[in-house]
Amino acid sequence: MGDTTVNTGKGPEAACTSPIDGEVGAPAAHSLLRRLRSPRRPRLWYELALIAVSYWLYSLVRNAVPEQKTAALQNADWIWQAERAVGLGFERAVNHSVDSVTWLVVGMNYYYATLHFVVTIGVLVWLYRRHPGRYAAMRTVLFVTTGIALVGFYFFPLAPPRLFDGGGFIDTVVVHQTWGSMASGDLKHMTNQYAAMPSMHIGWSLWCGLAVFALSRVRWVRVLAVLYPVTTLVVIIATGNHFWLDAVGGLLCLLVGLGVTRLWYGRAPHRAPREGRGELRAQPPRAGGEPATPPGASARPALEDEPAGR
C-alpha cells in the first residue's frame, strides 16, 4: 500500500543502454563512421591492391582526357605571357643554362623520370612499416591530391614549356637522347602530353617531404625531406617539363588533400597514434593473478598518447 511502483515499459534491456565510451547504444551508421575514422594498422594485401587499382585508374583517366592540342598551346601561351608580365618568366633562362651542362641536364632527366615514383613508393613503405597508425591518413592525403589533379588535367589542358613552340624552350630529353620523360621520344604516345597543370611531381614530392619532415627525428633525414621538393622544382623547370605556375597548382592540390583528410579524421595525419588500433599495450598481471585491465574496460591502442614522430 505505501510504495508506488513505476513501470517504465522498457524491459530488462533498459539496463544495458548506458553508453560506454560513447559507443554502446549509438546508431550503427555512427559507429561505422567512427570505426572507419579510427587509426588502425593497415593490411598489406589491401594496401597493395588499393595502390595498384588507384594508379591504374589514375593512368586511365589521365590518358583518356582528350589531347586538346590547340587549347593546351593557347593556355601555355597565356601562362607564359602572364609570368613575363609580372617579371617571373625565368623558366627559359634556367632551361637554357642547365642544358649547356651535359652531365647536369642528363642527371636531371633521369631524376625527373625515376625519383617521382621511387621516392613516393619508398615513403609509403616507410609509413607502413614505421608509422602504421598514421599510414591510412597520409595515404588519403596523397590519393585526394592526385584525384584533384585529374580534374585539373581535364578542365585545363596545358602544353609543357618544351612543347610550346612560341617559348623557345629546349626538350632536353630529345636533345640529349635520354630516357627522362614519359612524354618525349619513343614514350610520348604512352601518356597525355598536355596534362602539365597541376604538376604532380611537385604535389607528390611535397607530400613526401612533409610526411618525412613531420615524422622523422633524424636531422639529416629532415634536411633531405626539405631539399627533395625544392630540387624537384628546379628539375621540372630546368628540363622544360613545367612552368612554375604548374608547381603552384600542385601545391594547391596538396592543400586540398590535407584539408579533406583533416576533416575526415578530425586531426592532422601526423597527429594520429603511431601504431593505431589492434596493437594493445602489454601490461603485467597484478598481484594475485588479477588481469591488468578490469572486465568491461576498453583497452587503449598502443602508443596512443605518444607524441608525433616518436
Side-chain angles (χ1 to χ4, degrees), residues 283-295:
Q283 299 183 15
R286 296 174 182 170
E290 279 186 50
T293 304

Side-chain angles (χ1 to χ4, degrees), residues 79-256:
I79 283 186
W80 180 234
Q81 296 303 328
E83 289 183 350
R84 296 177 71 186
V86 297
L88 292 175
F90 53 80
E91 292 96 333
R92 182 170 61 192
V94 175
N95 175 239
H96 283 250
S97 297
V98 173
D99 183 70
S100 64
V101 184
T102 303
W103 65 267
L104 180 60
V105 72
V106 168
M108 286 186 170
N109 285 341
Y110 289 123
Y111 179 111
Y112 182 87
T114 58
L115 292 193
H116 177 54
F117 301 102
V118 172
V119 175
T120 304
I121 293 173
V123 172
L124 282 170
V125 172
W126 176 71
L127 289 169
Y128 178 89
R129 292 179 59 86
R130 300 296 299 274
H131 300 270
R134 298 161 182 156
Y135 173 87
M138 296 301 299
R139 179 249 292 148
T140 301
V141 175
L142 182 64
F143 280 22
V144 174
T145 299
T146 306
I148 297 299
L150 289 174
V151 178
F153 297 155
Y154 188 88
F155 288 102
F156 193 79
L158 179 67
R162 58 186 174 73
L163 295 181
F164 173 46
D165 295 334
F169 290 90
I170 299 170
D171 189 333
T172 59
V173 171
V174 172
V175 170
H176 297 279
Q177 300 180 348
T178 57
W179 182 73
S181 173
M182 288 292 291
S184 290
D186 296 335
L187 300 175
K188 65 183 179 181
H189 299 297
M190 295 177 61
T191 186
N192 184 356
Q193 299 186 79
Y194 304 112
M197 171 66 85
S199 168
M200 280 299 91
H201 272 74
I202 291 300
W204 287 13
S205 65
L206 281 172
W207 175 85
C208 292
L210 288 174
V212 174
F213 184 85
L215 299 178
S216 176
R217 288 298 175 263
V218 181
R219 180 171 297 178
W220 67 267
V221 173
R222 300 184 83 193
V223 170
L224 289 179
V226 173
L227 290 178
Y228 176 54
V230 174
T231 304
T232 301
L233 176 61
V234 175
V235 167
I236 66 172
I237 290 175
T239 56
N241 279 288
H242 287 284
F243 296 101
W244 65 264
L245 278 176
D246 301 344
V248 174
L251 170 62
L252 293 177
C253 289
L254 178 66
L255 292 177
V256 173

Side-chain angles (χ1 to χ4, degrees), residues 58-82:
Y58 166 77
S59 300
L60 186 67
V61 173
R62 185 178 188 271
N63 297 337
V65 174
E67 291 200 5
Q68 305 174 52
K69 181 176 180 179
T70 301
L73 292 174
Q74 289 175 347
N75 289 335
D77 181 65
W78 179 82
I79 283 186
W80 180 234
Q81 296 303 328

